[in-house]
Amino acid sequence: MISRISHVVLAAALAFGASACGQSDGQSSPSQSFVEAPAQTGFDKTLSEAKARLDAQMALPFNVPVPKDAGGGYTHETHKNNAKLIYDAGQLYALTGQEKYAQYAIDLMVAYADVYPGWGFHPEQKEQSPGRMFWQNLNESWWLVHVSQGYGAIKSVASDAQREKIETDLLRNISEFLSDGSPETFNKIHNHGTWATAAVGLTGYAIGDQDYVDQALLGLDKSGNYGFLKQLDRLFSPDGYYNEGPYYQRYALMPFVVFASAVEQNNPERKIFEYRDGILEKAIDTTIQQSYGGLFFPINDALKDKGIATTELLYGVSIAYDLSGDPGLLSIAQEQGKYVLTPESRKVAEDIARGKAKPYDFKTMRLGDGASGGEGALDILRASADPKASVVVMKNTSQGLGHGHFDKLGYIFYDNGTEIIQDYGAARFLNIEAKYGGHYLPENNSFAKQTIAHNALVVDETSHFKGNTKTGNNFHPTAGVFADEADLQISSAQIDTAYEGVNLIRMMAIIHDDALPKPIVIDLMRADASGVRQYDLPVYFSGQLIETNFKLAADPVSRKPLGYENGYQHLWDVARAKPVEGLSQVTWLNDRRFYTVSSAVPNNSEIIFVEVGANDPNFNLRRQQAFILRAAQDGGVSYASVIEPHGEYNPTVEFTLNSHSQVKSLEAFNDGQQDYVRVELKSGQIIGLATSQNMDAQKTHTINVDGQSVTWTGPYTLFHSDAHKTGKK
Amino acid sequence: MISRISHVVLAAALAFGASACGQSDGQSSPSQSFVEAPAQTGFDKTLSEAKARLDAQMALPFNVPVPKDAGGGYTHETHKNNAKLIYDAGQLYALTGQEKYAQYAIDLMVAYADVYPGWGFHPEQKEQSPGRMFWQNLNESWWLVHVSQGYGAIKSVASDAQREKIETDLLRNISEFLSDGSPETFNKIHNHGTWATAAVGLTGYAIGDQDYVDQALLGLDKSGNYGFLKQLDRLFSPDGYYNEGPYYQRYALMPFVVFASAVEQNNPERKIFEYRDGILEKAIDTTIQQSYGGLFFPINDALKDKGIATTELLYGVSIAYDLSGDPGLLSIAQEQGKYVLTPESRKVAEDIARGKAKPYDFKTMRLGDGASGGEGALDILRASADPKASVVVMKNTSQGLGHGHFDKLGYIFYDNGTEIIQDYGAARFLNIEAKYGGHYLPENNSFAKQTIAHNALVVDETSHFKGNTKTGNNFHPTAGVFADEADLQISSAQIDTAYEGVNLIRMMAIIHDDALPKPIVIDLMRADASGVRQYDLPVYFSGQLIETNFKLAADPVSRKPLGYENGYQHLWDVARAKPVEGLSQVTWLNDRRFYTVSSAVPNNSEIIFVEVGANDPNFNLRRQQAFILRAAQDGGVSYASVIEPHGEYNPTVEFTLNSHSQVKSLEAFNDGQQDYVRVELKSGQIIGLATSQNMDAQKTHTINVDGQSVTWTGPYTLFHSDAHKTGKK
């Protein structure tokens, strides 16, 4: 059997300079394959940089230290670097045909083969799933994923003795440690298991051992109850959503797409990319869809500066383009601006240089969560396909396991290319030793995961599921209405398990109406409950506070934390206010645009302005700010808000336009299962949004709105203003 | 006499499509003038947008409201807009030859001529220099600068009756109000005077009245003791520095360059651009030099988002390019990315499209302040011409009049394209009504101007000159050493009038040494005084605190302001610490780079971490942070610091390099007039910088450094490490 990678070697060595050998180019016309490759592409730059880097490295002696340090330490980083060198050397040989690269990879692998069999468990071994070269075998899998591909690429150059040595003492030795030697990881339906099966499976193809491949695909016992295919069944929802969220999705994606590529090359009869209705392409696409301004939605434990330019997505996007030929992926690759040493990546670079890129089709979409897609959903509402248009991300998913946050029905609002109402993400400085060794900080649990750290409703100053992940994992919201129309993007969900005796219901919609210069968002957050309880709804606004429609009372010379636990201890209580006649309006400036959140709140409400940073003696938290709508009420609560981007602040040309909100009044009416939100603009125009928890499209609803009866059919109806010309009403 | 603007009309109308008619193209080869203009330039886009805007406007009736509102109000903005329409219509006629634009400008001016003579003082008139159309006559000058140019451009199309009407009832009426009617402004050596003289002078050229021109150039009495030429003599230093700083320099520049261009066209014998050794070109150049990352150094009252893309500099850069042909200006224009409707701006766009742009020559430079250049200086130290290289801006200038801040010997540090140790700038939200009507906020005086708001030394918690602008205007620092060498950029200054009985001396230098991966900055701040006084030296660091070499003691559950007045009341006292053995090290992360400030401090020092925002009930202040070196000492103080950019935090590829400072120890030795700063790196390498207040280049100095005697000649000498190969030592 010819491994996929050897195949690439041959093809690339013979056809270097011509178009890449991707198997699917169905969408381009036949003549296009004869178009000459452009003179200099981004890929060429990547290639010459890789050559320079490897040439410099090849002048130095090998460095294969005895395992000693934990993650981030010297031996850890050295072994990681060696794997990259072997991988790059293999790819460079494949791409250039220069044997010196193959020889370097062979010699470095032989050096490892000399010592690896003698290594027992790592001295800093983690309790679960320890490694030998690294402290955890996840890193060992990562290492083998790279080295096995490097080996496949240079195998034909190695002598029989070298092959024997490398395969026996290194590749098989590690593979067996990762498979039979670590069944608890290998058979786990979890991304650590995917790394392990991909590593062993890629090794199987590289050394020509079908047994490895079968174990990788079907589990140690080849029953199909475990292994790569089962992981494909279970780790993604049918819509391609990964349970832990996009930050971990992009990490999990890497072994999936790399191993699947090898399966496609070597066992095309498996049609792996058609498996489960093309789940892998969907997963790559949803990873991109879950981004704004190049950065992933930072839900759950996520570093906020992580985005589509990560190495994992360089592989993902180029492989997806190879499969689909979708020119929208080229604009994503342009934004990535970087390439990897694969034929697919070269093809991407060449097609960009040929001017084939089209805008990527960012869509309003519901991504069902859970293996069957029925465990809540991540709902993405986009005002348009413009990458800078308003976006609402509703976190109506399930808990997301250990990295999940307690933010049921929370949301993020983006506009103008950036995060406007934000999520904190994770409290972590990855790999920065001075910050708790680069691990998740204690404040990740004490603040970032807590409900009050999110744009989500907190009842009685406690977090959802009392902050217990295990409890959280047992429940999920029920997704409600979802629609994407020309004048309306709408989503809702509810959950009655986050708090005992409380049903949380949230509806959010982007509204387009000719009375509005820009689309607005309507947010209706309701809690149905009995007894007096306190309801806190934070809005983590990003920017400079400009005005409020109420008088702020700040203690200018002293600050105290807002509370004692559940994240409240990390918030400074900065200022308080009473809203005027049940209407709260807060306007801030972000970059050059104004934003106002107008909220209809109970008359006894309080608005509390807070800043993150109390109980933070080590300066671990970022200084973000929020205002919190607070009401203590008997019988539940309703907060109806309009999020309104408006105006322009232009300090360059010195003008300011429309710095004030256009919202004059806002009222929410509720009648059991039915809601009606009425927005009155200063122009006198009125917009209404009627919704029902009843999903029956035929059912007619009537609600009393200020003495007038409003009737509609189906789960939602937008009542346009008189100024609207193109609406359906 | 043919006015400059009519000349342009003719030239443009006849030669539209060909190269612009700039008078100086000395640096391009003859053949280049025959190079065809590129198909589509940034200027063409500006032109078509202006046409679309004007075409839309021309469909609407005129709107010439009776003056009523103050700055920012409706009538104010409407009159401003009409001036722009008249100007643009004139330029469009000149550029396209389409008479409809000329006719529109004529009709709109006639509409003004109908009503202007009947307008008395504006109902909201400012006490000083009131206007008629606007509340202050500065706006009236601005209006006439635009309208007179518009008139000049379309004059030939107007009928005799229209000319008579417009000239008599509008242009002469305003001009006489601005000149004979407002002598206190017209004859003032101040930028308001420049706007007035430019307005009247441009009108003189447009209507062919040399008397107006002479008054503009030489003052009302034509003595030369006042007027435009005297303003050129007095408002800029010989180096082209404007006393109030770059934020006001770019505003003042506009009438200077526009009127000078007209003088050059109409009275070339005046050689206005050669006047005072080419002061205007210098002023344009220094405005650009006083920027980083496209934004002006925010010294004094400055909006921090103001930069080279302002309209004023679109005129300035294109006129400077027309004069000098310096291709470096084209890269500035590229960064501006916008154009104005002038032949010079078109030429810039075309030459950019021809690929003529070269990197702009950002330089280390001393800009002497004051009419004779001897009143202190703004010193700009640049590690290299790379726009992203480290830059130190030393504020050793005089007070800068009413917009000046009390920040003698303060500094700003830039690196990696952004402000790393920052200046607050002004407390103001320009034109945002909700923020104190868009005026300077009360916090501008109570905080932003105060010494503690800057990276400047505060003695006894009071500001320089006791915060009195009048006192400040009487004094200035004495500039000391200044040099720009391959391995060293150095500057120093002193001032003994900011505090009674205290001589402040500061030396800053950028050091290049092969033992350092990147250049570092040495900052030696000394105060010579007798008696016990308290010395506070803030460092307004921008980024996330990563580590300190001392234990921070924060009160996690309460905050109090640091003081009661002089700006201290706006700082929260966040955490305090005692430095370890006289060495304080603070490391933070900005974007993807680490920065450490290591400081040798007196043993009894305290480090205080502060955040801006106390006593700020209206959320008017930005939440910036600083640490303050504090020592109470008898006999003065010395703080020697190293500012060290280092390492890389890469969350995309997940690695972190060199997050720790390389500075092991730091000591400062002082011996009367002589200083020696010794930096010991963790590698064992030692770098020394010796300085003297004695500027004699021949004088030999000796200082005792830890028992060893160090000798050098002249005001400064850098002692390189042993690792340095290319240094002069």
Side-chain angles (χ1 to χ4, degrees), chain B residues 47 64 207 222 255 260 374 435 458 477 490 576 641:
Chain B
L47 184 64
V64 182
I207 66 178
K222 304 185 193 169
K435 288 296 191 189
V458 185
I490 188 169
R576 298 195 175 214
S641 300

Side-chain angles (χ1 to χ4, degrees), chain A residues 445-482:
Chain A
N445 282 322
S446 65
F447 180 69
K449 280 188 174 181
Q450 302 297 324
T451 308
I452 194 64
H454 300 83
N455 304 300
L457 191 74
V458 185
V459 181
D460 293 335
E461 301 189 29
T462 59
S463 285
H464 298 163
F465 310 114
K466 296 183 177 150
N468 185 312
T469 299
K470 221 168 152 181
T471 312
N473 284 337
N474 293 331
F475 302 103
H476 57 77
T478 305
V481 65
F482 180 81

Side-chain angles (χ1 to χ4, degrees), chain A residues 588-645:
Chain A
W588 69 94
L589 176 67
N590 182 306
D591 192 7
R592 298 187 170 193
R593 193 170 286 178
F594 297 91
Y595 297 89
T596 297
V597 170
S598 305
S599 304
V601 299
N603 275 319
N604 65 345
S605 297
E606 195 174 23
I607 319 290
I608 308 173
F609 282 75
V610 297
E611 280 180 27
V612 177
N615 276 292
D616 181 27
N618 298 318
F619 291 70
N620 282 344
L621 291 169
R622 297 192 308 275
R623 299 299 181 248
Q624 299 186 346
Q625 62 191 340
F627 61 89
I628 299 174
L629 309 178
R630 170 174 287 185
Q633 293 240 119
D634 194 350
V637 78
S638 157
Y639 293 120
S641 300
V642 165
I643 305 168
E644 176 195 8

Side-chain angles (χ1 to χ4, degrees), chain B residues 49-220:
Chain B
E49 283 169 0
K51 275 195 230 171
R53 200 168 55 238
L54 215 66
D55 290 346
Q57 191 68 40
M58 282 159 60
L60 303 173
F62 293 136
N63 182 8
V64 182
V66 175
K68 176 171 166 289
D69 302 321
Y74 171 74
T75 66
H76 182 99
E77 293 298 324
T78 302
H79 291 305
K80 268 175 67 181
N81 192 46
N82 283 339
K84 279 189 209 157
L85 289 172
I86 293 167
Y87 174 83
D88 283 358
Q91 300 301 310
L92 282 178
Y93 171 64
L95 291 162
T96 69
Q98 289 187 260
E99 268 199 23
K100 64 175 180 181
Y101 297 120
Q103 210 52 60
Y104 178 78
I106 291 167
D107 293 344
L108 185 47
M109 283 187 281
V110 167
Y112 269 95
D114 283 340
V115 291
Y116 190 82
W119 288 346
F121 281 121
H122 191 280
E124 299 277 341
Q125 61 178 276
K126 283 208 167 180
E127 214 167 304
Q128 297 191 328
S129 317
R132 288 162 62 193
M133 190 183 308
F134 299 97
W135 64 339
Q136 57 177 346
N137 75 11
L138 171 63
N139 302 110
E140 214 112 338
S141 299
W142 181 95
W143 195 90
L144 187 57
V145 162
H146 286 81
V147 170
S148 62
Q149 292 182 81
Y151 179 71
I154 58 78
K155 185 183 176 184
S156 59
V157 178
S159 69
D160 286 349
Q162 287 169 329
R163 272 203 292 268
E164 171 68 21
K165 174 88 182 162
I166 294 169
E167 293 188 10
T168 305
D169 290 345
L170 184 62
L171 303 180
R172 286 184 184 275
N173 199 310
I174 304 188
S175 291
E176 274 155 35
F177 168 62
L178 290 175
S179 56
D180 293 324
S182 313
E184 74 293 344
T185 302
F186 193 86
N187 272 348
K188 201 173 182 180
I189 307 302
H190 182 276
N191 85 69
H192 290 200
T194 312
W195 280 100
T197 54
V200 171
L202 286 165
T203 303
Y205 285 129
I207 66 178
D209 187 331
Q210 186 64 31
D211 202 49
Y212 279 13
V213 173
D214 291 344
Q215 281 194 320
L217 289 169
L218 304 167
L220 286 177

